[in-house]
Structures are given as C-alpha cells and as structure tokens.
Amino acid sequence: MNAPLRVLLVDDDAMVRAGLSMMIDGARGITVVGRAVDGDEALSAVQDSNPHVVLMDLRMPRVDGITATRRLRRLPNPPEVIVLTTFDADEDILHALRAGASGFLLKDTPPEQIVAAILSVAAGDPILSPQITRRLMDRAAAQTDAHVTASAALAGLSTREHEVVLAVAQGRTNAEIAAELFMSVATVKAHLTHVFGKLGLNNRTQIAVLAREAGLV
C-alpha cells in the first residue's frame, strides 16, 4: 500500500489510546487518523476518518467491541477490525471472530507485533496472537475428543436404548417416551437402568450431555 495505512483507535481508556498512538503512528507507513472512546463513537469515527484498520477494545461502556465490530462490518467498504483487549476468554474470542474481526490480540502484545498485525489484516490476512491460536486449537481438539469418546460410548447401546437416549436428550418424560416408542413406562425405566449401567452415568442430564457431545441433538 503506497498511501499511508489509516488506523482508528477505539478504547475507553485515554492512556491506552495515547500509548497505542505513540507506538504505531508513523510506524511502517501507519497513520492514526482518529480515536473513539467506545463502540458507539466508533461508527461515526469510521465514517469521518475512513480508516483501513480499526483497533477495537472489547469491554467498553454503552456499546461493547463485539457489537461495534458487527456494526462496522455491515458498512459499505468496511474497515478491517483487530480486537485488542486484556480479556482472552474463549467465548470472547469466538464472539469477536463471528462478529467479523480479522484479528484478536492481547494488550500485552509487543508493539512490533501489533504493527505487523495491522499490516497483515490490511493486506487481507487474518491474525491471532500465538497463545490465542493455541487455545483455539486445544479447544477444537477437546471438542473432537469429546465427540469421539461420546460416540464410542453410545455405540455399545442397543437400538432401543439409542432411541431412549435420544428421547431423553430431547427433553421427553418417561411417559412421553413410552407413548412415542410404543412401550410401557416400566420398559422405559428398564432401558434407562441399562443405559446408566452401560455408560456409567447417574442421571438424565448426563445422558443428554453425552448425546449432545456425540452429535445426536
């Protein structure tokens, strides 16, 4: 990019905004073209300054960073958004990425890496800090492992027991299961007893969780 790369800072902490501006303004062709104190101001600031990249805080008053990101990404020719935050809960990361963020960095990321991330997303390449990438990979692996384990456990059930498990996971009562599967309530209870024994479970909630992990519901 021959023209200066325009960056908008969105953070409710004035010291953070000042520090970021000092770190990145003028670095490798980057120009800070505006600042906003929350997600509510971010929309008008983007329209006024037309940035290529927005550095977006996550937790802010009035309008949070995820909501603001979602709104910005709906604009014609929207800027790329990098969430820059002290919060790294898995759900925050996933919500930000689903809202359209092109990057997710922690505020303790070294300045040169923040600059590199800005250049990367401006060029169309999403960026996550290494520790975030590892956590998402671990989460995905854990979900895969849970799915495999749950599927293997349910594979030992009979067809009828599978049907009862599915009905339990769908929130059916014993009477509803009996009517749906054309059996007596006593037979439903007997099947549940066998399921508990085979799976090493103690209650219906555990059955429902296992069924969800296996992808039955």
Side-chain angles (χ1 to χ4, degrees):
M1 186 176 297
N2 295 324
L5 200 163
R6 302 164 64 83
V7 174
L8 173 71
L9 308 177
V10 183
D11 198 294
D12 62 329
D13 189 322
M15 292 184 63
V16 171
R17 295 195 304 272
L20 286 171
S21 184
M22 289 175 55
M23 284 192 299
I24 67 177
D25 194 28
R28 300 176 65 180
I30 294 172
T31 298
V32 175
V33 295
R35 300 165 183 81
V37 301
D38 60 26
D40 189 46
E41 283 192 6
L43 185 59
S44 58
V46 164
Q47 294 169 332
D48 291 341
S49 60
N50 192 30
H52 299 105
V53 177
V54 175
L55 288 185
M56 181 78 72
D57 191 17
L58 198 63
R59 308 285 174 86
M60 296 178 289
R62 296 199 296 180
V63 177
D64 62 81
I66 290 172
T67 302
T69 297
R70 188 177 296 113
R71 292 177 180 176
L72 293 183
R73 295 300 298 168
R74 291 172 181 162
L75 293 173
N77 301 314
E80 301 294 340
V81 176
I82 298 175
V83 170
L84 186 64
T85 180
T86 55
F87 301 95
D88 63 346
D90 289 351
E91 291 308 313
D92 288 334
I93 300 166
L94 294 174
H95 285 320
L97 297 178
R98 288 168 183 155
S102 298
F104 197 107
L105 300 175
L106 300 179
K107 286 183 177 177
D108 60 1
T109 301
E112 63 273 14
Q113 292 183 21
I114 295 177
V115 170
I118 293 170
L119 297 174
S120 180
V121 300
D125 297 321
I127 188 76
L128 297 175
S129 62
Q131 60 267 50
I132 299 261
T133 301
R134 170 51 58 188
R135 284 179 54 181
L136 291 180
M137 290 173 63
D138 290 344
R139 178 180 173 129
Q143 290 175 335
T144 300
D145 289 345
H147 175 77
V148 171
T149 300
S151 298
L154 295 177
L157 302 181
S158 69
T159 300
R160 266 308 198 194
E161 288 165 352
H162 262 286
E163 293 173 343
V164 170
V165 164
L166 178 58
V168 168
Q170 292 171 335
R172 306 281 199 276
T173 65
N174 286 350
E176 290 170 336
I177 296 171
E180 185 175 306
L181 299 181
F182 304 103
M183 62 177 70
S184 68
V185 172
T187 301
V188 173
K189 291 180 179 179
H191 281 309
L192 283 172
T193 298
H194 294 152
V195 168
F196 288 140
K198 288 182 178 181
L199 300 179
L201 303 179
N202 300 309
N203 57 56
R204 299 168 77 93
T205 300
Q206 290 175 322
I207 289 178
V209 169
L210 193 68
R212 286 182 173 81
E213 289 177 341
L216 297 185
V217 291

